[in-house]
Amino acid sequence: MPAATDGSTPLSSTRIRLALIALAIGSFGIGTTEFVAMGLLPDIARDLLPALFADSAEHANAQAGWLISAYALGVVVGAPTIAAFVARYPRRYVLVILGAAFTIATVATSLAPTFETVLISRFIAGIPHGAYFGIASLVAARLMGPGRRARGVALVMSGLTIANMIGVPLATFVGQSFGWRSAYFLVAIVFALATAAVWFAVPQQPGDAGQTMRKELKAFTRAQVWFALLIGSIGFGGFFAVYSYIAPIVTDVTGESAGLVPWVLFAIGLGMTIGNFVGGHIADKSVKLSLFVFFPLMLVVLVGLALTAAWLPALFFFVFATGFAAQGIGPTIQTRLMDVAGDSQSIAAALNHSALNIGNALGAFLGGVTIAAGAGYLSPVWVGAVLTVAGIALAVLSYATESRSAASRGVKPLDQNAERADAAASTRS
């Protein structure tokens, strides 16, 4: 663990580890609240849409998928606006306020009485998501030091991936046993604990006093920022098209009981946890290499899942592989955005989560459309494969455009100057 500072005082390795763990606890809560609906979708549909569920479980499940999209859209709206606004403020204070907002919004979800009010509460709960991950990633990158930024991002995101391995299956089990509302109440407790941990363990890091919202928003004038956002949102939508409907895939395609759903979610989470760290390691060497390893792998495993999901061992293998490939992309896109955003580091770090949650909303929506059209519960997997192909095409176009631009200016493309870009970005953060 490298020596690091909070801006004035050297920090011990133990203090750095505690700070990273505190940040990861927050991301653990975020991962659980974001994804728990996937495992409880039929329970939520049955409770909030009883008439529609009695008439057509498929249509009710598809409509309940709107809750996933609502949270994702909250992330999309909140990430750039909050991150740009808070860039000048001390980062620990910002993280504590965001943690408190998560706690309150998740309690509201557990208490909301109707589908419409739950929909609104999920949108509100998503608003702090991207800003938390963005600011936490900048804090972690500074703690880790130059040359290890992507691994710092991966450590923050490890809470999210562990949530998919432990938090989501556990919350799904609690929700199936005691009602879906109890799952969200459990998540609210996690957020309260995370907020306290951040307050006590994370060292204060100053914001950029000279930064303004206008300066942060300059990121949107950079073509490569838009490419990175499109790659993340469209390409990652392939994962969410599958994940959003994993519960009915288990019960209706594989023919297993709902009690197996938490174990399938565990397999996805295990794959995500391993893929997150592998992706962070590869991205620190080459973001380009990481993209062109994980996206083609994602396409292969989605096709494999679509062809073999009726066989239980194959289901477990391919959902694990799907999680591995998808989460390998996470720290890669995060690092790419930080590299191409210039001085707009706060908004760049948060925009990654806007991109991924556009993918969340897009995948859940398109998967729901195909299910409602009668194409069956495997149709979202094929939707995911198509979106992944689009993500690969965008990555190719992005790097081709960057190479042409660099050649015209007589400089090397960014990914070939990784150490220089890494050190510069670390200094800006």
Side-chain angles (χ1 to χ4, degrees), residues 103-283:
T103 305
I104 294 169
T106 307
V107 169
T109 295
S110 70
L111 299 176
T114 66
F115 179 79
E116 290 76 17
T117 53
V118 172
L119 193 70
I120 293 170
S121 74
R122 295 316 295 153
F123 174 80
I124 294 172
I127 290 175
H129 176 124
Y132 178 92
F133 270 117
I135 299 300
S137 293
L138 292 177
V139 170
R142 185 165 181 171
L143 290 172
M144 293 294 287
R148 298 168 62 91
R149 288 182 307 132
R151 275 167 281 187
V153 171
L155 284 168
V156 170
M157 295 189 72
S158 68
L160 185 149
T161 60
I162 293 171
N164 283 275
M165 186 171 64
I166 298 174
V168 175
L170 177 61
T172 299
F173 173 77
V174 169
Q176 289 176 341
S177 301
F178 304 103
W180 66 268
R181 296 178 187 276
S182 63
Y184 284 100
F185 186 76
L186 177 64
V187 176
I189 294 174
V190 173
F191 278 131
L193 293 174
T195 303
V198 168
W199 175 259
F200 286 108
V202 174
Q204 189 61 276
Q205 289 184 6
D208 186 347
Q211 195 71 333
T212 65
M213 182 172 286
R214 176 176 291 182
K215 289 181 180 178
E216 286 288 333
L217 292 176
K218 284 184 178 178
F220 290 110
T221 66
R222 297 172 177 264
Q224 288 301 326
V225 168
W226 285 104
F227 270 121
L229 291 175
L230 286 170
I231 293 166
S233 58
I234 295 177
F236 216 75
F239 170 69
F240 285 111
V242 176
Y243 199 7
S244 298
Y245 300 97
I246 195 65
I249 288 174
V250 171
T251 55
D252 288 53
V253 177
T254 314
E256 300 293 332
S257 70
L260 191 70
V261 172
W263 294 104
V264 174
L265 293 172
F266 174 85
I268 296 175
L270 180 61
M272 293 178 73
T273 301
I274 298 173
N276 176 58
F277 287 109
V278 174
H281 182 76
I282 297 176

Side-chain angles (χ1 to χ4, degrees), residues 360-377:
N360 189 340
L362 183 66
F365 173 75
L366 293 178
V369 168
T370 59
I371 291 170
Y377 285 120

Side-chain angles (χ1 to χ4, degrees), residues 58-74:
E58 285 191 353
H59 282 79
N61 284 331
Q63 186 169 329
W66 296 359
L67 299 176
I68 299 168
S69 297
Y71 181 94
L73 291 174

